[in-house]
Amino acid sequence: EGHDIGMDASGYVSQLINVVSKILMETDVSESINKSNADHAVLFESVNLIVAWGTTCPVTMREGAMKLLGKFISVREPNIRYLGLMTMAK
């Protein structure tokens, strides 16, 4: 069961959806370890937010989140795979 983000609410919800969408689609994971960790953290939190929204979230965002989780569980880094699997289990 997701949290209702008030799809009928004012422009604030629309702005929030736009920002999370942009993060999800435009964040590239860096080669630098420290920057890469920060990139992954931001992406995971964006995905967690989309998961928390559940079915009240636009379908394209849910599809993007699932695609990203698929990438995460296919990388060699075990911590990233673990976080991806844990997120999918929510």
Side-chain angles (χ1 to χ4, degrees):
E1 180 78 21
H3 300 287
D4 185 2
I5 58 171
M7 289 300 178
D8 297 327
S10 67
Y12 295 115
V13 172
S14 178
Q15 276 184 313
L16 182 58
I17 288 171
N18 288 337
V19 168
V20 174
S21 258
K22 188 173 181 173
I23 289 169
L24 193 66
M25 302 302 172
E26 296 180 11
T27 301
D28 292 323
V29 178
S30 173
E31 294 297 318
S32 161
I33 295 296
N34 288 336
K35 176 117 173 52
S36 175
N37 288 341
D39 292 338
H40 280 110
V42 168
L43 286 170
F44 270 111
E45 289 307 316
S46 296
V47 170
N48 282 330
L49 185 57
I50 292 167
V51 168
W53 285 341
T55 57
T56 62
C57 185
V59 173
T60 55
M61 286 180 70
R62 291 196 318 259
E63 289 172 350
M66 293 305 111
K67 183 187 240 183
L68 189 58
L69 284 174
K71 281 184 185 179
F72 286 156
I73 64 171
S74 66
V75 299
R76 292 186 60 181
E77 171 60 44
N79 291 332
I80 301 299
R81 277 193 302 200
Y82 171 78
L83 289 171
L85 289 168
M86 289 301 294
T87 303
M88 289 180 89
K90 290 183 180 182

